[in-house]
Amino acid sequence: MKPDLKSMTRKELEKLKANIDKALEKLAAKDKKAALAAAQKAAAAHGFSLSEITGGSIAEVKKRKTKPGPKKVSPPKYRNPDAPEQTWTGKGRQPDWFKAAIAKGTSPDAMEV
């Protein structure tokens, strides 16, 4: 049965969307479980366990996430001659104090840390 979307209210459409999202999540979990089973079967066919191939237990593989770690902070490359607590890594937008010093005739080499 195909729902008539044009005659549905916003509330009904949002409920339908929520139900679809839940169904898609369940289907993705089911597909992931089937893929894991297929990977275990393929590894066993070659005489290995999945943990031997992946370098960890299956539980660890399931829990593993691919979130990036914290960003690395670059060390300062330039220091403000008038206010030594102000530094700049040389990356990104030039700070106003750097631009002002260049305008006064100070070379970037003179401000290097």
Side-chain angles (χ1 to χ4, degrees):
M1 181 171 105
K2 189 174 180 180
D4 184 19
L5 301 178
K6 291 181 181 179
S7 66
M8 295 177 83
T9 65
R10 174 181 290 277
K11 202 172 208 177
E12 291 171 334
L13 287 170
E14 287 174 355
K15 184 177 179 182
L16 179 63
K17 182 181 180 230
N19 290 339
I20 290 170
D21 289 342
K22 285 179 189 176
L24 286 172
E25 287 175 15
K26 286 181 182 179
L27 188 60
K30 182 180 172 185
D31 289 345
K32 194 181 289 188
K33 190 174 180 179
L36 180 61
Q40 288 172 329
K41 186 176 178 182
H46 292 282
F48 297 100
S49 70
L50 192 56
S51 63
E52 289 175 313
I53 294 173
T54 60
S57 71
I58 294 172
E60 290 173 5
V61 172
K62 285 181 180 179
K63 290 180 184 177
R64 209 176 290 161
K65 301 206 179 196
T66 57
K67 289 185 179 178
K71 290 185 177 182
K72 295 180 182 176
V73 178
S74 300
K77 186 174 180 180
Y78 300 102
R79 186 175 307 278
N80 185 350
D82 298 330
E85 68 277 357
Q86 293 179 334
T87 59
W88 179 46
T89 62
K91 298 178 182 176
R93 203 176 105 208
Q94 293 178 344
D96 291 335
W97 61 262
F98 187 84
K99 291 178 189 176
I102 297 294
K104 289 179 186 175
T106 309
S107 71
D109 296 335
M111 293 184 282
E112 282 189 7
V113 175

